[in-house]
Amino acid sequence: GENVEQHPSTLSVQEGDSAVIKCTYSDSASNYFPWYKQELGKRPQLIIDIRSNVGEKKDQRIAVTLNKTAKHFSLHITETQPEDSAVYFCAATWGADGLTFGKGTHLIIQP
Amino acid sequence: GAVVSQHPSRVICKSGTSVKIECRSLDFQATTMFWYRQFPKQSLMLMATSNEGSKATYEQGVEKDKFLINHASLTLSTLTVTSAHPEDSSFYICSARAASMNTEAFFGQGTRLTVV
């Protein structure tokens, strides 16, 4: 089955700086890669996703890049703000399967 | 986006009892529903996949007789934790996907189960 590795587990950045979270996946058949933001005790919220036929996608301060050859994808958050503090999960799946999540990254935005 | 409602949000039960958690898609027909479990400060782990009208497919290591899943209609799936024990205490969360959705799924609010 699919295996998703996510790094780092904790990331602390100064407000206004950029944050980058990286994930690798094992199953070359995976074709959908969403990123979720989860606040304590709440449901994961989809913040951006990318499909395997696209190399990069951007939505305001958030961008995701995908390298299919290397089987890795990354989340980029620019101009970080205090409300960006949360746990971020990457995930991968193929077709109609359930999501395989990375272990999560605790993003801390320092004022 | 589509709305998925999960109930209850919190439940405390005694060891040995059973607990039922409901997951409803409110504004779309969910042909597939997924159940995840999340222990404190850990990631979400897929437990099982259920398709309306058929038996659930369980992930390796998940006891199907302990975690009973029913997906009897296109808007409702239930997870029953049978003979619950303290080690079953966790955050259980469902997600639902319609046939028309290209892989994206929407999550319920989650259920915090505490077994005492």
Side-chain angles (χ1 to χ4, degrees):
Chain A
E2 177 64 274
N3 182 50
V4 177
E5 299 284 341
Q6 182 173 347
H7 298 282
S9 56
T10 303
L11 177 61
S12 181
V13 301
Q14 289 293 126
E15 182 178 349
D17 288 350
S18 296
V20 180
I21 303 171
K22 299 182 179 182
C23 288
T24 60
Y25 61 99
S26 62
D27 190 347
S28 56
S30 288
N31 61 359
Y32 177 64
F33 308 92
W35 285 89
Y36 289 88
K37 176 182 180 182
Q38 187 180 31
E39 297 177 354
L40 190 63
K42 296 188 176 179
R43 79 183 88 189
Q45 296 279 2
L46 179 70
I47 56 171
I48 196 166
D49 58 11
I50 192 166
R51 291 181 167 82
S52 59
N53 59 345
V54 176
E56 184 174 357
K57 183 177 179 180
K58 189 174 182 181
D59 182 5
Q60 300 182 334
R61 297 187 297 110
I62 296 173
V64 57
T65 58
L66 171 65
N67 183 326
K68 283 195 301 180
T69 303
K71 290 190 282 189
H72 66 70
F73 55 114
S74 300
L75 176 71
H76 304 252
I77 305 175
T78 58
E79 300 172 20
T80 52
Q81 300 168 3
E83 53 265 35
D84 294 330
S85 295
V87 179
Y88 291 80
F89 292 99
C90 63
T93 190
W94 175 84
D97 289 354
L99 294 165
T100 299
F101 285 87
K103 292 189 183 301
T105 296
H106 185 194
L107 177 62
I108 302 165
I109 308 300
Q110 303 278 7
Chain B
V3 179
V4 177
S5 180
Q6 187 174 340
H7 293 280
S9 57
R10 288 179 180 272
V11 59
I12 300 172
C13 72
K14 291 185 178 180
S15 188
T17 61
S18 295
V19 174
K20 180 184 283 189
I21 302 168
E22 292 188 347
C23 181
R24 294 181 185 271
S25 56
L26 298 185
D27 53 0
F28 67 100
Q29 293 186 323
T31 49
T32 306
M33 286 189 173
F34 305 93
W35 288 94
Y36 296 85
R37 180 169 53 185
Q38 185 177 32
F39 291 109
K41 296 186 179 182
Q42 294 189 24
S43 186
L44 290 84
M45 297 297 293
L46 180 65
M47 298 175 67
T49 301
S50 72
N51 292 295
E52 186 265 338
S54 61
K55 289 185 178 180
T57 302
Y58 290 81
E59 295 299 302
Q60 194 172 9
V62 178
E63 300 174 60
K64 62 179 181 180
D65 294 330
K66 181 169 184 62
F67 299 100
L68 301 179
I69 291 171
N70 185 283
H71 191 167
S73 78
L74 285 171
T75 58
L76 174 65
S77 176
T78 60
L79 167 68
T80 301
V81 183
T82 63
S83 187
H85 291 284
E87 57 265 31
D88 297 324
S89 298
S90 187
F91 189 58
Y92 292 87
I93 189 164
C94 68
S95 71
R97 179 189 300 161
S100 59
M101 296 177 183
N102 183 15
T103 72
E104 185 171 346
F106 297 91
F107 285 90
Q109 309 94 304
T111 297
R112 174 73 59 195
L113 171 63
T114 303
V115 185
V116 297

